[in-house]
Amino acid sequence: MPVPPDPDASASAHLSDRLQAVTEALAAASRQDDVLAVVLTSARDALGATAGSVLLLDPPGQSLTLISAQERSRELSRLGQAGPLDVHGPVRDALEKREALFFEDQRALGQRYPRWPHAQGSQPQEPHAQEAQSQLPGAAVATAVLPLLLGDHPLGALTVDFQEPHHFTDPEIRFLRSLTAQCAVALDRAQLRQELEARVEARTAELEGERAALDAFVAYKEAVGAESDVRVLAGQAIRVVQAGLQHVSAAYYELEGGWWKARVWSEDVAPDVAAEIQAGVPEDAPDFSSAARSQTAVFADGWNADANDLPSTGTYGAVALLPLTVNGETRSLFAVGTQDARIWSDREKALVRAVTRGLGITLERTEITRQLQARNAELDARTQALEAFARLTQDLATHGDPHEFVRRAQEVTLSLLPPGYALYYEQDGAHWRNRVQVGSVGNDDLQAFIDAGPPVGHTPSVDVPWTTGQAYYQDDYARGSDTPPEIVQHVNTVASLPVFRHGAVVGVLIAVLFDGRQWTPTDRVTLDTVVRSLGLALERAEQAGELRRRTEQLERSNAELEQFAYVASHDLQAPIRAVTSFAGIMERRYGSLLDERGQLYLRQIVTSGEHMKQLVDDLLTFSRVHTEPHEVLPVDSAAVFDRVAQRLQVDAPDAQVTRAALPTVRADALQLDQLLQNLISNGLKYRRPDVTSHVRVSAERDGPVWRFAVADNGIGIEPQYFGRIFEIFQRLHVRETYEGTGIGLAVCKKIVEQHGGQLWLDSTPGEGSTFYFTLPDAG
């Protein structure tokens, strides 16, 4: 017996096929409307429903919005209406519980939500009224409400309505649940796609705006080139803006006396508007003030002409005001307006900003160039003044009269200015005395007034710089303020500058010009440089005079000391010779009559007399280095060395005295002989016991001089005594150990310094010493 077909299995297969078709259709759906059309059509057709709707939560999740609905009857189900989510009803329960709700007839819905019609905006009704309403044509009888969930996140709800009671089978329930799940995923995908497309579209518009702005910026930079005139630059900016935005007008404003005044504007500006913006806009006009204070662009959508005191611009819908800053200060504004719209687009803003940025950079560059030119002019003026003053004062280095320096400063000042004259006042009690004057004052009475001495406290041109220590510049000389006005009618411009010496004002230098002149920064730098140089010259002259006086005193003192040493040593020779001679006679004739102690005393007299004689001879040699004239000529130092070595070899036959090749130098031959003899004999005398003395002399070229080295292998010298040994009468050893007077190295130092050279040493105790000295080359 054949098995009858299972209606549930057949329906399930049918719904499965439907679901497969829905899956394929949703895969191809890219927009929200397409997704909802597929879902609602499939739900209604598969189940034979009367109507269907999708409601989505708004972003805050507080209310439902009807997004899409499909119906066959003339009236939509009450459950598919939008409204606040806080109203208790089937959709709210489905979303809160995250589960589908199925109502197979009107009675089931009424029992679950007895006050639902009131919740939909009607008044409470009696049961018979509810029943009557349920019989209205097209009213829903059975309903399914399914939440749209993406994971655990609610998106909204799907409702399916039937005009007849409907039993929801398991295959239908599974179908609806699968359908809502696929609907949620497809809606999310469509929303993401839509957001991505919106972002791409916005970014594309942004890039187009940036590209337009960049093109405008480049176009402006190319248009201005090396132009430096501000108004020409502003005109170029206006033309570039209009090339990119044909519907706009533009103007360039500068601040003057509390008013923003238009200096340049586009040709399309109406005559009445041009007249008004040229007359000026108050500095405190709201949008103008905001742009200037904040130093940021103000894009005024819905331009308020009256509020900004520009009634003639009432036809403009939107205006932009962009500040132009130089050195951090808003000095001008670039204004753009349009009559075609009341809102600025991003592209328009970007283009206007780009051109204004280009104009601002160019203005900064122009200002920097102007400042550099001004500084260069000031530096040139300062250099010119310094060079002129240096040329005029180079022959006054030893001049003792400070007023001669003032005269030279006045000459420099007048050489750099138009015709006029210069004065130099110093205070003399209650009057100003003109100590130095260059140029004619052009009026005999004025000259007599100056010579008489203007009164202190009643002569501003002198009083002000003297008391304040600051320069006083008068572009328009106040006639009558210093002198009777009738004698200075030919004077127009005056500059008065204090002259300092050691920080105190010592005088006032005044430059007077016959012609009118505005004292420029360059003029001020020039005069300031001259006066500062004058002050330094006066200080140097004072120092030079003091140094010269001290030098003269030292020279006199040294000359007197050297003369005294020469006379004293010369006059001492006769009594010393007498003492030693008579002591020798006594020893020879009467020595046998003396006891041993007497003979010892007599020998000590002879020995001390001989030492005193040597000391006097060395002192004479020391004084003769300065007192006796010497002739500097080319001298063969090798020949001088050979003569010295031959003499010394007699007293020290075992010693080795050698040399390298020695040069021809400019020197006094006798003093060079004395120098080499003292240094070589010094090396032979201070020898180490049981070591053969060896002294070697060599020389090396060192620029324009020859550096000699006298090296020995003696006992050496401790470093702390390197300076002391060149002082007269300084000895490092007792006379009983090494003979000597302590004058030899002092003589060497004087001889070398007489020849413009230097003398020094290097020594290692126990190994030897090397004395170095320099002499000029014979060439």
Side-chain angles (χ1 to χ4, degrees):
M1 180 176 181
V3 178
D6 185 356
D8 287 343
S10 175
S12 178
H14 171 70
L15 293 175
S16 179
D17 293 340
R18 275 281 186 175
L19 197 58
Q20 180 62 34
V22 169
T23 302
E24 295 174 357
L26 289 177
S30 60
R31 297 192 173 276
Q32 180 176 279
D33 292 344
D34 298 336
V35 171
L36 298 178
V38 170
V39 170
L40 291 175
T41 300
S42 300
R44 193 188 64 191
D45 293 348
L47 277 65
T50 302
S53 63
V54 173
L55 298 97
L56 296 182
L57 288 167
D58 63 0
Q62 299 300 317
S63 64
L64 289 165
T65 302
L66 178 64
I67 299 300
S68 181
Q70 287 188 354
E71 56 179 325
R72 285 181 181 159
S73 63
R74 60 180 174 84
E75 185 179 289
L76 187 65
S77 167
R78 290 168 301 169
L79 299 182
Q81 294 182 5
L85 194 58
D86 58 356
V87 177
H88 185 64
V91 175
R92 173 179 165 179
D93 285 352
L95 289 173
E96 288 183 349
K97 297 177 179 179
R98 307 292 198 270
E99 65 178 23
L101 303 177
F102 298 95
F103 304 97
E104 294 186 347
D105 53 37
Q106 186 67 32
R107 186 178 301 278
L109 180 61
Q111 290 177 348
R112 182 76 174 268
Y113 303 101
R115 297 182 60 82
W116 175 247
H118 173 68
Q120 294 300 326
S122 61
Q123 297 297 323
Q125 299 175 355
E126 297 298 328
H128 67 273
Q130 295 181 24
E131 182 179 354
Q133 186 179 20
S134 67
Q135 301 302 320
L136 289 173
V141 174
T143 299
V145 182
L146 297 98
L148 294 172
L149 302 174
L150 187 64
D152 196 44
H153 176 66
L155 300 180
L158 168 68
T159 65
V160 183
D161 300 327
F162 300 83
Q163 285 184 318
E164 301 290 338
H166 183 82
H167 172 66
F168 293 96
T169 64
D170 290 340
E172 288 176 341
I173 292 174
R174 287 195 299 271
F175 172 78
L176 288 174
R177 284 176 173 163
S178 298
L179 185 64
T180 54
Q182 292 196 31
C183 178
V185 173
L187 284 175
D188 183 62
R189 184 175 66 246
Q191 184 176 1
L192 291 175
R193 182 186 180 104
Q194 187 174 352
E195 290 176 357
L196 180 60
E197 289 176 351
R199 290 181 185 176
V200 171
E201 184 178 353
R203 183 55 181 160
T204 301
E206 184 179 348
L207 289 174
E208 288 178 354
E210 291 177 356
R211 185 180 298 109
L214 181 59
D215 291 343
F217 181 80
V218 172
Y220 177 75
K221 297 298 288 182
E222 292 176 348
V224 299
E227 179 62 56
S228 59
D229 186 274
V230 173
R231 298 184 184 179
V232 173
L233 295 171
Q236 290 285 10
I238 290 172
R239 285 188 285 276
V240 171
V241 167
Q242 288 193 310
L245 303 173
Q246 290 81 5
H247 59 286
V248 304
S249 303
Y252 170 76
Y253 291 83
E254 290 179 348
L255 188 61
E256 178 186 332
W259 294 80
W260 290 105
K261 295 187 177 181
R263 305 302 190 192
V264 188
W265 52 89
S266 56
E267 296 179 355
D268 61 334
V269 174
D272 59 331
V273 175
E276 192 171 55
I277 62 177
Q278 190 175 10
V281 182
E283 185 178 4
D284 59 355
D287 290 327
F288 283 78
S289 176
S290 176
R293 271 199 326 271
S294 65
Q295 295 189 346
T296 57
V298 172
F299 287 91
D301 296 331
W303 167 248
N304 191 333
D306 292 333
N308 286 278
D309 205 18
L310 282 173
S312 66
T313 63
T315 57
Y316 288 88
V319 171
L321 295 164
L322 298 96
L324 295 164
T325 60
V326 176
N327 295 332
E329 178 185 355
T330 302
R331 297 187 180 180
S332 50
L333 292 172
F334 191 74
V336 181
T338 175
Q339 301 183 33
D340 295 350
R342 296 184 62 81
I343 297 177
W344 290 104
S345 69
D346 291 339
R347 177 181 177 277
E348 290 170 333
K349 290 180 180 179
L351 190 144
V352 172
R353 278 195 175 103
V355 175
T356 309
R357 184 170 67 252
L359 176 58
I361 292 173
T362 308
L363 293 181
E364 286 276 7
R365 182 198 66 194
T366 302
E367 176 64 15
I368 292 172
T369 301
R370 187 197 63 77
Q371 291 177 357
L372 287 175
Q373 290 174 345
R375 290 178 183 176
N376 288 337
E378 292 176 3
L379 287 174
D380 290 342
R382 190 186 297 273
T383 302
Q384 184 179 3
L386 287 173
E387 290 176 348
F389 191 80
R391 286 194 300 271
L392 290 174
T393 58
Q394 61 187 359
D395 59 332
L396 299 179
T398 59
H399 206 285
D401 184 6
H403 290 155
E404 190 59 32
F405 285 98
V406 174
R407 182 178 301 280
R408 296 299 175 89
Q410 291 174 325
E411 291 172 355
V412 171
T413 299
L414 293 180
S415 71
L416 301 173
L417 294 173
Y421 59 91
L423 307 173
Y424 179 73
Y425 283 104
E426 292 178 349
Q427 187 172 357
D428 180 17
H431 294 273
W432 296 113
R433 299 300 179 189
N434 179 33
R435 302 300 188 188
V436 187
Q437 177 177 328
V438 172
S440 171
V441 301
N443 184 290
D444 293 340
D445 292 337
L446 175 59
Q447 185 66 62
F449 180 87
I450 293 172
D451 294 341
V456 173
H458 299 280
T459 312
S461 295
V462 189
D463 296 334
V464 171
W466 180 275
T467 56
T468 65
Q470 302 291 326
Y472 179 37
Y473 290 95
Q474 301 179 67
D475 295 335
D476 296 312
Y477 175 58
R479 298 183 181 92
S481 60
D482 301 315
T483 59
E486 63 273 8
I487 64 176
V488 288
Q489 291 300 310
H490 61 299
V491 173
N492 283 282
T493 308
V494 176
S496 309
L497 298 98
V499 177
F500 289 88
R501 188 167 64 193
H502 302 300
V505 179
V506 295
V508 176
L509 189 149
I510 301 180
V512 181
L513 304 181
F514 298 135
D515 298 330
R517 181 182 182 88
Q518 297 289 321
W519 292 111
T520 66
T522 301
D523 292 335
R524 298 178 185 229
V525 167
T526 301
L527 293 176
D528 179 72
T529 302
V530 171
V531 171
R532 286 179 183 272
S533 299
L534 172 59
L536 293 174
L538 292 176
E539 292 177 5
R540 286 197 299 269
E542 181 182 1
Q543 294 168 356
E546 180 64 24
L547 181 61
R548 185 169 57 254
R549 288 190 294 272
R550 291 185 180 181
T551 301
E552 291 172 354
Q553 291 174 356
L554 287 174
E555 288 175 349
R556 287 195 300 270
S557 177
N558 287 338
E560 292 169 357
L561 287 173
E562 289 170 357
Q563 185 65 24
F564 171 78
Y566 177 79
V567 172
S569 58
H570 184 274
D571 291 347
L572 283 173
Q573 285 193 352
I576 290 173
R577 281 197 301 268
V579 170
T580 56
S581 296
F582 282 112
I585 293 172
M586 288 181 64
E587 184 180 15
R588 288 192 302 274
R589 291 186 180 183
Y590 308 110
S592 59
L593 301 178
L594 298 174
D595 58 11
E596 183 176 354
R597 181 175 294 274
Q599 292 177 358
L600 174 62
Y601 291 160
L602 194 58
R603 287 195 300 273
Q604 287 180 346
I605 291 173
V606 174
T607 301
S608 296
E610 292 175 348
H611 177 68
M612 181 175 289
K613 182 178 182 300
Q614 182 63 47
L615 190 63
V616 169
D617 290 341
D618 290 346
L619 191 58
L620 272 174
T621 302
F622 181 79
S623 66
R624 283 170 181 159
V625 174
H626 273 298
T627 58
E628 291 188 354
H630 59 278
E631 188 176 15
V632 177
L633 296 170
V635 177
D636 183 359
S637 62
V640 175
F641 169 86
D642 292 341
R643 290 196 296 272
V644 171
Q646 187 176 3
R647 290 198 305 269
L648 295 177
Q649 204 76 48
V650 175
D651 296 329
D654 297 333
Q656 299 180 15
V657 181
T658 61
R659 67 172 174 84
L662 298 179
T664 299
V665 295
R666 288 189 61 81
D668 178 273
L670 294 177
Q671 289 190 347
L672 179 57
D673 185 292
Q674 182 73 51
L675 174 63
L676 289 175
Q677 176 170 309
N678 286 7
L679 292 177
I680 295 172
S681 61
N682 206 63
L684 296 176
K685 180 170 60 176
Y686 295 102
R687 66 183 184 86
R688 285 178 287 163
D690 304 325
V691 176
T692 301
S693 296
H694 183 196
V695 178
R696 181 172 177 80
V697 179
S698 59
E700 289 185 7
R701 186 65 178 264
D702 187 5
V705 301
W706 287 92
R707 185 176 66 250
F708 286 78
V710 181
D712 64 57
N713 63 342
I715 60 175
I717 303 171
E718 296 286 347
Q720 62 265 33
Y721 303 120
F722 283 2
R724 175 181 169 186
I725 63 172
F726 294 114
E727 298 176 7
I728 191 170
F729 300 130
Q730 294 297 319
R731 291 176 51 84
L732 303 183
H733 308 279
V734 296
R735 186 158 52 86
E736 288 75 10
T737 305
Y738 296 100
E739 294 183 356
T741 60
I743 297 178
L745 289 178
V747 171
C748 293
K749 186 171 185 292
K750 262 190 173 296
I751 291 173
V752 172
E753 289 176 349
Q754 280 282 98
H755 288 78
Q758 293 179 308
L759 174 64
W760 71 98
L761 82 151
D762 186 16
S763 181
T764 302
E767 296 182 11
S769 304
T770 301
F771 287 82
Y772 298 94
F773 64 90
T774 58
L775 292 175
D777 179 67

